[in-house]
Amino acid sequence: MIYLDAAATTPVRREVIEAMWPYLTGDFGNASSHHELGARARDALEGARAEVAGLLGCRPSEVTFTSGGTEADNLAVKGIALGRRAAGAGRARLAVSSIEHPAVLESARALARLHGFTVDEVGVDALGRVEPDALAAVVGPETAVVSVMYANNEVGTVQTVAELAAVARAAGVPFHTDAVQAAGWLPLDVQALGVDALSVSGHKIGAPKGVGALYAAGRLALEPVIDGGGQERGLRSGTENVAGAVALATALRLAESERMTSAARLTELRDAFIARVIELVPDALLTGHPSERLPGSASFCFPRVSGESVLLELERRGIVCSSGSACAAGSSDPSHVLLAMGLNPETAQTAVRFTLPASVGADDLDQTASALRDAYAAVTGIARR
């Protein structure tokens, strides 16, 4: 099997398992307990927080551990918007891009449905980019928060986050970016990016599923999404996932230490793979920005054939990839990302996404391109019959 669905999830790294193992066994204490076992767990938790903060370029007190990227996005969008309302800011609008992950889009829609906010969706160009002028056109005195993802999970397009954050900052509006797909591939220094909040998830970078983190600038007054015993400085109640926090910190450190080398290597492999696919399947339509895309992201549409049929034929040949976001919960609707980029619904439903793990080799991608040629021929042959 050749696994090319790294945007959906990645295997847990051995170093990560070894780092978290003590906190699943001997040092299994509750970090909120007032005894020695609890204190050891608390020390590990705060050590992990400090490590994540160092990698993001922020203070430890600005890092909140969550159950993953979805919760981090919810806390950012809902927490900032409701926090500003509670503080008397009187702002009742939200600005989000039209290609956001459902964790952001549905958070914004929930605020509209339950709390009377108005959602301004900022469109993208045909390559999936938000133009700063387009954002500036909707951000104003009534905007509570702006959220634009760093890199798209379906087509891999990378946004000019620093420029977009500057637009929000000029209007006095906090800027959040979903960096779940960017982690390990793009710089995450929040000061250089100029963002006020940033979300990451562990299982995209070699940590287990079930842990993530949100950076939120200390000046922000966030309303919690989960209420309870007041853990995580009252922002995220619930027994702390100490082993998960250690895992996330370890995975993020390893990913950052390897980032430049891995990104350069995968970019070269990705570009060769894209060229080979287009050579072997001339009908293939590359989606997303041709160069400003994640190093391991190659996404295509195949007009007039079923994307799901291509996927099935590829899996028969030992290639595992996807039709887009793994978070669409089985939806057969065309991708909202591709529709926002101007593709018609029929073409959008032919999408196939290849997202490369760091371990992929040139031979794997040569085999995949040949398998895709054969899969496409099989599907088009069936369609003709």
Side-chain angles (χ1 to χ4, degrees):
M1 181 184 75
I2 298 176
Y3 181 77
L4 300 178
D5 199 17
T9 197
T10 60
V12 181
R13 296 182 60 149
R14 183 180 183 86
E15 305 96 319
V16 171
I17 295 172
E18 291 172 350
M20 67 188 294
W21 183 251
Y23 306 101
L24 295 170
T25 54
D27 289 334
F28 60 87
N30 186 323
S32 296
S33 294
H34 298 288
H35 47 59
E36 183 181 349
L37 199 59
R40 291 206 297 268
R42 187 162 55 253
D43 287 346
L45 179 69
E46 296 311 319
R49 194 187 312 278
E51 185 164 22
V52 171
L55 293 164
L56 298 182
C58 65
R59 296 190 295 270
S61 61
E62 296 175 315
V63 174
T64 301
F65 288 114
T66 68
S67 64
T70 289
E71 187 188 338
D73 285 345
N74 271 256
L75 179 56
V77 175
K78 295 175 182 176
I80 294 172
L82 294 175
R84 300 195 82 195
R85 172 174 284 184
R91 301 189 179 216
R93 303 187 78 89
L94 314 164
V96 299
S97 87
S98 56
I99 61 167
E100 293 301 301
H101 188 278
V104 167
L105 288 176
E106 294 305 321
S107 289
R109 291 164 186 166
L111 286 169
R113 186 173 65 251
L114 301 175
H115 299 281
F117 283 83
T118 298
V119 180
D120 295 313
E121 287 195 16
V122 186
V124 296
D125 63 19
L127 302 177
R129 275 206 161 175
V130 176
E131 294 295 336
D133 288 348
L135 180 61
V138 303
V139 175
E142 290 300 308
T143 308
V145 61
V146 173
S147 187
V148 179
M149 68 195 328
Y150 197 168
N152 186 261
N153 54 309
E154 294 190 31
V155 299
T157 295
V158 176
Q159 302 295 339
T160 55
V161 168
E163 292 182 36
L164 298 172
V167 170
R169 185 166 57 253
V173 179
F175 185 96
H176 163 254
T177 191
D178 175 343
V180 166
Q181 295 294 338
W185 302 114
L186 302 173
L188 293 183
D189 186 300
V190 297
Q191 306 305 321
L193 291 172
V195 300
D196 302 286
L198 178 146
S199 305
V200 293
S201 178
H203 74 105
K204 311 295 187 180
I205 53 172
K209 301 170 185 68
V211 65
L214 174 69
Y215 153 73
R219 64 183 177 277
L220 294 175
L222 269 69
E223 280 289 308
V225 175
I226 297 175
D227 296 303
Q231 292 90 341
E232 293 295 293
R233 305 175 315 285
L235 293 177
R236 200 279 179 183
S237 292
T239 302
E240 298 97 336
N241 180 2
V242 177
V246 170
L248 175 62
T250 304
L252 196 58
R253 170 172 50 80
L254 292 170
E256 181 58 25
S257 69
E258 301 163 353
R259 177 172 60 81
M260 294 187 70
T261 301
S262 293
R265 175 178 173 273
L266 275 201
T267 297
E268 185 176 348
L269 289 173
R270 176 205 70 196
D271 289 346
F273 174 66
I274 289 172
R276 185 65 172 152
V277 167
I278 293 173
E279 176 190 351
L280 294 178
V281 188
D283 288 344
L285 171 66
L286 181 69
T287 57
H289 199 285
S291 58
E292 298 303 315
R293 62 192 302 134
L294 286 169
S297 179
S299 54
F300 303 91
C301 283
F302 298 93
R304 298 178 299 282
V305 303
S306 163
E308 290 294 333
S309 297
V310 174
L311 289 175
L312 289 172
E313 289 292 333
L314 283 171
E315 190 164 2
R316 287 181 55 201
R317 292 163 172 80
I319 312 298
V320 176
C321 52
S322 71
S323 59
S325 174
C327 300
S331 172
S332 60
D333 294 335
S335 160
H336 73 282
V337 172
L338 296 178
L339 295 180
M341 290 165 55
L343 275 71
N344 62 56
E346 293 75 21
T347 300
Q349 285 189 309
T350 72
V352 177
R353 177 187 73 171
F354 301 91
T355 47
L356 319 181
S359 59
V360 76
D363 289 346
D364 297 325
L365 296 179
D366 286 343
Q367 184 177 334
T368 299
S370 296
L372 179 58
R373 174 198 58 202
D374 296 342
Y376 183 73
V379 171
T380 53
I382 292 169
R384 289 193 190 101
R385 288 198 297 270

